[in-house]
Amino acid sequence: TPDLKQYSPGHRLEYTVNRFTFAYDHAYLLPRAVGYSAGLLNYFFRGDMDIAIPPDGVFAIVDTTLTGCGSPCGFRKIKLLIKNTTPNDDMGAGTLQVVAKYHRNDCYSADLSGDDGAPDFRGIDCRSPDEYVSVSDPMTVASVSRTYPNQALVFTFLATPIPIDASDLSLQVVFRGVLGQEADAVAVTTKDIAEPNHYAVANVSDYVFDDVGDMKYHSLPYLGITNDVAATNFGIAFGANQTPLATVPVLRGGQFARFAYLTDKFVTDVPVTFFYWGSPHPHINQPHAFELDDVTGQYRRSCQVWPTRGLYWENFFFFNQYRSASIHRSVAQGAARAEEDELVGQLMSEAQNQPGTKQLKVGFDCATPTGGVFDMTLMAPFTAPTAIPWTINF
């Protein structure tokens, strides 16, 4: 009041700053301050980008054996297609980095016995309370185009790989550099992707399924069948890509191999091509999510793992031999179906010098396949350390 009184000498009216004037000023000034701040934030973080799956059909792939996966086991390289979607502003020279954000399944085990659907999984108690980040090595770019490039950008996570047990996984791409007239701008975009999915191929032709007799597997020799059937030149490709990303030169009876991969999340069917005995065989797969449901509070996979021959599986392709013929089968959990395809005219069994003639189709909705050719309980169990390593071409 004494300071204000000097502006009205000789007047009895006194000017006072008090809670009433503060309340009036706040109502007037605070919305403008917030709007001004929001305008600054929107300007400084106006940069935007889009992320897409590369031509390989996956963001990342890794063999899950100790040799292929490394220690700690995880993804050390991912591929992305990135384009600038900032209105009116071009992205010039700068750096790109990828930040992976995730929780971890603390119950994870290499045999997948700690995943949802297996006995060692304890639901929400397995989810790490903390969120983790893995940051890629920086990549210098001359610009970020407004169209997707023909070749994917390759980011390496040498210091902190994205772990094989990650859940609630998302990728953030961070650009820092020239944006429009600004020399040191920052742009960030986030993509929610599917958590690590596990794919396996197994050769169970060290046993014979008696499709003529008791409908069970029998160890060799059985009714004159003495040899397993080798699966040669096996490979798997994703999407429209016809070059296998993972290959195994030969898989004998009693051997298996598996890998993990990262791909898009909000897709229903992903084309998968199996290669064996010199020819491609198309299939369909559906990626699985593994995250906390904010509505129900449940921590689980969109499709549970299931047991057979001593291990747990998510997507499973296997070769077996019938008493009447030698065939292969696939169990595509993610595609909510199982498929059995006969190789007509190939790999005739020793018991019958005739090619198989049956064309079988079996369907189920993301459930554990049981009975018949899926019942491998009498077989010698697989163990995780005995997996055959894949050659990864990524």
Side-chain angles (χ1 to χ4, degrees), residues 258-326:
R258 58 179 162 186
F259 61 82
Y261 67 98
L262 302 176
T263 190
D264 267 329
K265 180 177 182 178
F266 300 105
V267 292
T268 54
D269 292 332
V270 174
V272 178
T273 305
F274 296 107
F275 297 85
Y276 47 89
W277 293 303
S279 60
H281 302 266
H283 286 254
I284 292 295
N285 185 37
Q286 185 181 58
H288 307 164
F290 185 19
E291 59 193 356
L292 177 68
D293 188 318
D294 293 330
V295 177
T296 65
Q298 292 183 316
Y299 179 58
R300 61 184 311 172
R301 280 190 176 277
S302 57
C303 193
Q304 295 181 330
V305 298
W306 53 281
T308 194
R309 200 165 179 176
L311 296 177
Y312 291 83
W313 315 89
E314 189 175 358
N315 294 289
F316 184 63
F317 183 99
F318 66 99
F319 296 87
N320 70 344
Q321 56 178 330
Y322 269 15
R323 176 179 171 182
S324 60
S326 299

Side-chain angles (χ1 to χ4, degrees), residues 127-148:
R127 185 177 185 259
S128 66
D130 297 325
E131 185 179 54
Y132 296 87
V133 296
S134 294
V135 182
S136 76
D137 300 320
M139 175 188 297
T140 301
V141 294
S143 64
V144 179
S145 173
R146 289 193 172 276
T147 59
Y148 288 124

